[in-house]
Amino acid sequence: MPAGGDASEPALQVEALSHRFGRRLALDSVSLTLRPGQFTVLLGQNGAGKTTLFSLVTRLYANQGGSIRVFGRELRRHPSEALSRIGAVFQQRTLDLDLSVAQNLLYHAALHGLPKRLARQRLGAELARIGLAERADDKARELSGGQLRRVEIARALLHRPRLLLCDEATVGLDIDSRRAILEHLRRLVAEESLALLWATHLVDEVVPGNRVVILHQGRVLADGELTALLAESGQADIGALFSALTRGAPAAAAAG
């Protein structure tokens, strides 16, 4: 069985997840389920709790309340099995700028126990898929912001996870770089049945067919396919729906 696990199982199940930093409640009983082949947008303003959720799912923090399962593996009880099924791209860039692109990827592959020969095969394939095969020996600092992000995505996929988490992965990028990254990831979701959780504060990164989870002040206000949410709420577009929900307008009826 590949690292991703059984495709019939939910890729990610978060149930009643709560987390505090001191007296501040960062997440308040958050629940959501992701399935293979699903591109889910976690939409929320800065401070909504998106990064906290990602930090809990990737075990940077231990969850204080609720449960997290990755392809059926409970994160607290089986952390290694659960984490081996996850690839992650965080908001802060994590490449070593003084290493080459290939060295960055090989280091990640070694952490996941991949034999060097297999790792080299996979990094070549992933870099080719993102159009950067010719940059493998260049130092990471020589790449543009959009290229660095593409390398981080390639790195996250080296160990063949079936669940990919991307936290504000297009922050600071120009519109063409943002579009290229999103097109690449939507293609991967469709062709390889990945489950992807895409956290963003940018409403223009949500398109029809996407599932949308709106997170605000640590609470889920809406969860569903974009077109259905708009029809239920009577709002014209995702920007209007987001504004109405986060301002406490009647569109809150779309939450579910």
Side-chain angles (χ1 to χ4, degrees), residues 102-252:
Q103 287 171 330
N104 271 286
L105 270 61
L106 287 172
Y107 179 70
H108 176 85
L111 292 177
H112 283 273
L114 294 181
K116 184 169 282 191
R117 183 175 179 180
L118 177 60
R120 289 192 176 278
Q121 291 174 347
R122 288 189 180 179
L123 80 84
E126 290 297 337
L127 289 178
R129 187 153 61 171
I130 61 171
L132 292 175
E134 75 285 356
R135 306 300 299 271
D137 295 324
D138 292 350
K139 286 191 174 182
R141 67 172 62 257
E142 298 172 10
L143 274 58
S144 68
Q147 290 170 334
L148 288 171
R149 275 304 191 205
R150 283 188 278 159
V151 170
E152 288 186 312
I153 292 167
R155 181 182 61 179
L157 294 170
L158 277 182
H159 61 288
R160 297 293 188 263
R162 305 308 302 164
L163 169 62
L164 183 62
L165 310 175
C166 293
D167 184 14
E168 297 279 7
T170 58
V171 165
L173 301 184
D174 61 65
I175 191 168
D176 289 336
S177 295
R178 288 171 54 206
R179 184 184 299 113
I181 287 171
L182 281 162
E183 287 177 354
H184 174 61
L185 290 174
R186 289 193 171 104
R187 193 160 50 243
L188 284 178
V189 168
E191 295 176 356
E192 300 188 8
S193 199
L194 283 177
L196 193 151
L197 185 60
W198 177 268
T200 184
H201 66 281
L202 302 170
V203 295
D204 65 346
E205 293 186 346
V206 185
V207 300
N210 285 165
R211 176 180 166 207
V212 187
V213 177
I214 295 179
L215 189 68
H216 184 64
Q217 296 180 350
R219 298 179 59 221
V220 173
L221 301 186
D223 182 353
E225 192 277 325
L226 175 59
T227 304
L229 287 179
L230 295 179
E232 291 169 12
S233 67
Q235 298 293 335
D237 54 43
I238 183 59
L241 174 61
F242 182 79
S243 295
L245 283 170
T246 56
R247 292 173 185 168

Side-chain angles (χ1 to χ4, degrees), residues 54-145:
F54 275 48
S55 296
L56 292 169
V57 174
T58 55
R59 199 67 176 168
L60 293 177
Y61 306 143
N63 53 302
Q64 299 165 348
S67 67
I68 302 169
R69 292 180 179 274
V70 180
F71 285 98
R73 281 74 176 179
E74 210 281 325
L75 188 59
R76 280 178 171 170
R77 295 178 58 197
H78 306 287
S80 296
E81 289 186 40
L83 293 174
S84 71
R85 290 158 170 78
I86 297 174
V89 178
F90 295 99
Q91 183 173 352
Q92 298 297 322
R93 294 195 178 108
T94 55
L95 294 175
D96 187 326
L97 297 180
D98 292 319
L99 296 180
S100 71
V101 170
Q103 287 171 330
N104 271 286
L105 270 61
L106 287 172
Y107 179 70
H108 176 85
L111 292 177
H112 283 273
L114 294 181
K116 184 169 282 191
R117 183 175 179 180
L118 177 60
R120 289 192 176 278
Q121 291 174 347
R122 288 189 180 179
L123 80 84
E126 290 297 337
L127 289 178
R129 187 153 61 171
I130 61 171
L132 292 175
E134 75 285 356
R135 306 300 299 271
D137 295 324
D138 292 350
K139 286 191 174 182
R141 67 172 62 257
E142 298 172 10
L143 274 58
S144 68

